[in-house]
Amino acid sequence: MARQQGWFALILALAIAASALLFTFPLQLGLDLRGGSQLTLQVMPAGAITSVDQEQLEAVKEVLERRINGLGVAESTLQTVGNDQLVLQLPGEQDPSRAAKVLGSTALLEFRAQRAGTEQEMQGLLSLKRQAEAVLNLERQRRSALNNPAAAGADNEAAQPPAGFPEDQLAQALRQLDIAVPAGASEIDQLELLLDAVNTQIVALYEPAAFTGKELVTAGRQQQQSGSGWEVTLSFTQTGGEQFANLTRDIAGTGRLLGIVLDGRSISEASVGPEFQAAGIAGGAASITGNFTAEEARDLEVQLRGGSLPLPIRVVEVRTVGPSLGADNIRSSLVAALLGLALVAVFMVLVYRLAGVVAVLALSLYALFNLALYALIPVTLTLPGIAGFILSLGMAVDANVLIFERIKDELRSGNTLIRSIETGFSLAFSSILDGQLTTLISCVALFALGTGFVKGFAVTLGIGVLLSLFSAFTCTRTLLRLLMSYPALRRPSYFLPRIQLPAATS
């Protein structure tokens, strides 16, 4: 009796701990339950690489995972599909455009010196670039204010047309740079075309890269002391620090600019004063200033810290699941799970009587332990994962059915109730173990060979199979033995109809 009380106390303590765990660590919901976005990314061959192999795909995946971690998107998953595709799930993310932009850029960082004799041409291009950027930012703010008057508040100045770039001057600049403007292009579209062309010409005025972002150790961001914007800070390796010092020493005081180029686009043009002619800018650190917003600085930091993509990628599909659809999925899944559990409970009580009541209690504990493990590991719960959980409930019921049928067979043979219970558990053990092992083998195969949702199904089903053994041979047995300690419940007719009992035991 004391031994059974000890087991019962252990089960009760586990139930309390599992309940506390679920309150402390809520279940993580996947894309189809929480809502969010899914991006399918295609890895493209480039240069001497004519086809993408598994090693190259894993290298791209490693860089993307670092960038995703930098973005701070919680519970995201990145899976390889086939030989050249990756599927990224971003639960809770309803606007995947920013993530696609950050993840899709190659992030090849180059440090270049301006070619000698191009100072006048560079100044003209930089003046045009700054003017176009200023007008473009004002125009975007004006459009945003018009689309969202509540955010603009009482300030109507944002709704006024921006000044600083007359229409004829914009058209003249586009003609001078030989930029073809599509029919019906808006002013924002024209300004973006102008900036792209100006950036291309600025990059053409630089010498080949002195060194690249491969010498970068880390990147950060901070607000500029002037308060006019954000800057991105860089820290180099020892070799990179020496190369940066040599580069800045060569152009110090010459009027030539230091260009920082990201993916073929000039993002910063800095002058180096004559005080650095002796040794250059030493210390192995630098900063990129470009009047970045906080979000732009953070995105650039994420790209640089994640590293350069070894191969380019493109987004081939974007799928968004709204939060309302996710809530409907949760509701439907809960109804299905509770209805299935209720029907199983009714069946077990009607067929197995007192043993069926014990089975229902054990199944309730089983479900509680299962959910607590999902929260602890953690397992991202998806619709296929819920299907695996419900299927594992059926497996746990099946274990109880085998045990109770053995008990009924022993009672029909004339054994006593206590002996029948002990014999039923011992005889059913091998059959239950064999069945659960074959299911576990299937789970391992599904997890190893499957992707995405299939892995989620395999994980939840595998956890359920392991817990069903504990539930059947610990929870069910402990509860039955505890009930049998009360003489009023120690009646064979509570397990088997009287008509099926031998005369000696009825």
Side-chain angles (χ1 to χ4, degrees):
M1 179 65 179
R3 183 180 179 185
Q4 299 313 312
Q5 289 178 341
W7 277 108
F8 180 75
L10 174 62
I11 293 171
L12 186 61
L14 288 175
I16 295 172
S19 302
L21 191 63
L22 284 173
F23 278 108
T24 307
F25 302 99
L27 291 171
Q28 294 186 5
L29 302 181
L31 182 70
D32 49 358
L33 298 179
R34 182 178 170 183
S37 302
Q38 176 175 297
L39 284 72
T40 302
L41 310 172
Q42 179 91 29
V43 181
M44 310 296 293
I49 300 175
T50 57
S51 62
V52 180
D53 59 27
Q54 194 63 34
E55 183 178 350
Q56 292 157 348
L57 185 64
E58 289 296 329
V60 172
K61 180 183 176 184
E62 183 179 349
V63 173
L64 291 179
E65 284 177 338
R66 290 198 296 268
R67 293 190 185 180
I68 294 166
N69 293 335
L71 281 173
V73 179
E75 304 160 27
S76 59
T77 58
L78 183 64
Q79 304 283 345
T80 57
V81 178
N83 295 325
D84 60 354
Q85 285 192 343
L86 297 157
V87 174
L88 171 64
Q89 294 180 359
L90 303 170
E93 180 63 57
Q94 297 301 319
D95 183 14
S97 57
R98 173 172 167 259
K101 179 181 177 182
V102 173
L103 298 176
S105 61
T106 309
L108 175 60
L109 187 68
E110 298 175 310
F111 295 85
R112 301 185 179 189
Q114 180 186 348
R115 287 192 286 112
T118 61
E119 289 81 4
Q120 186 174 356
E121 186 178 357
M122 177 67 81
Q123 288 303 317
L125 289 171
L126 289 179
S127 176
L128 187 59
K129 175 182 177 180
R130 294 184 183 114
Q131 188 178 11
E133 286 178 338
V135 176
L136 182 60
N137 289 334
L138 285 172
E139 181 65 22
R140 285 172 175 167
Q141 291 173 15
R142 185 180 74 88
R143 296 284 178 90
S144 177
L146 290 174
N147 294 332
N148 188 11
D155 187 4
N156 294 323
E157 293 183 3
Q160 302 301 319
F165 216 137
E167 185 176 350
D168 56 344
Q169 186 178 345
L170 175 59
Q172 181 182 357
L174 291 169
R175 285 195 302 270
Q176 286 179 349
L177 296 176
D178 196 22
I179 301 173
V181 180
S186 65
E187 184 178 1
I188 287 182
D189 294 335
Q190 295 180 49
L191 287 168
E192 288 176 343
L193 287 172
L194 177 62
L195 278 175
D196 287 342
V198 169
N199 268 307
T200 300
Q201 293 205 14
I202 288 175
V203 172
L205 299 181
Y206 291 132
E207 296 177 350
F211 66 103
T212 69
K214 290 182 179 180
E215 303 298 336
L216 192 66
V217 174
T218 186
R221 70 186 188 280
Q222 64 185 19
Q223 196 162 14
Q224 291 179 264
Q225 293 181 355
S226 63
S228 59
W230 287 72
E231 63 183 12
V232 177
T233 59
L234 309 175
S235 176
F236 302 110
T237 62
Q238 182 177 354
T239 301
E242 293 173 356
Q243 292 174 331
F244 185 72
N246 293 335
L247 176 62
T248 52
R249 182 192 61 206
D250 292 342
I251 63 175
T254 64
R256 297 158 59 198
L257 299 178
L258 167 65
I260 300 177
V261 180
L262 179 68
D263 290 341
R265 178 175 173 270
S266 180
I267 60 174
S268 181
E269 305 86 15
S271 59
V272 182
E275 66 270 21
F276 297 105
Q277 286 180 336
I281 300 177
S287 63
I288 305 175
T289 58
N291 290 326
F292 299 117
T293 65
E295 185 174 300
E296 289 171 341
R298 183 169 183 268
D299 289 347
L300 181 55
E301 175 198 359
V302 167
Q303 291 172 320
L304 296 179
R305 292 181 68 177
S308 300
L309 285 171
L311 290 173
I313 64 172
R314 67 183 179 93
V315 180
V316 295
E317 182 186 16
V318 176
R319 183 169 68 90
T320 303
V321 178
S324 59
L325 180 58
D328 290 340
N329 289 339
I330 293 176
R331 193 178 304 108
S332 301
S333 301
L334 284 175
V335 169
L338 293 175
L339 182 60
L341 189 59
L343 291 175
V344 167
V346 171
F347 171 82
M348 294 296 289
V349 172
L350 289 178
V351 175
Y352 297 106
R353 303 191 173 196
L354 181 61
V357 174
V358 171
V360 172
L361 292 174
L363 282 177
S364 301
L365 290 170
Y366 164 82
L368 177 63
F369 296 153
N370 237 328
L371 294 175
L373 271 180
Y374 294 167
L376 183 64
I377 290 177
V379 173
T380 301
L381 207 56
T382 61
L383 280 175
I386 291 178
F389 170 64
I390 295 174
L391 182 58
S392 68
L393 276 175
M395 300 290 293
V397 171
D398 182 59
N400 283 277
V401 167
L402 287 173
I403 293 168
F404 297 158
E405 285 296 333
R406 286 288 189 177
I407 293 174
K408 289 167 72 173
D409 287 342
E410 293 299 316
L411 287 173
R412 292 189 190 101
S413 300
N415 278 333
T416 63
L417 180 57
I418 301 299
R419 185 185 295 270
S420 297
I421 291 174
E422 296 301 323
T423 305
F425 275 96
S426 61
L427 292 179
F429 178 77
S430 59
S431 300
I432 294 172
L433 183 61
D434 290 344
Q436 307 293 47
L437 281 177
T438 54
T439 306
L440 277 177
I441 292 172
S442 301
C443 292
V444 171
L446 285 173
F447 186 83
L449 303 177
T451 58
F453 290 149
V454 177
K455 286 181 179 287
F457 173 81
V459 169
T460 54
L461 181 57
I463 292 173
V465 167
L466 293 174
L467 275 178
S468 69
L469 289 171
F470 173 79
S471 171
F473 289 99
T474 303
C475 297
T476 303
R477 175 179 277 183
T478 299
L479 292 173
L480 266 180
R481 284 177 172 174
L482 189 65
L483 291 178
M484 291 303 98
S485 64
Y486 298 93
L489 299 176
R490 204 181 299 158
R491 296 183 181 181
S493 58
Y494 287 170
F495 292 79
L496 195 66
R498 287 181 180 273
I499 193 172
Q500 298 183 27
L501 288 170
T505 58
S506 61

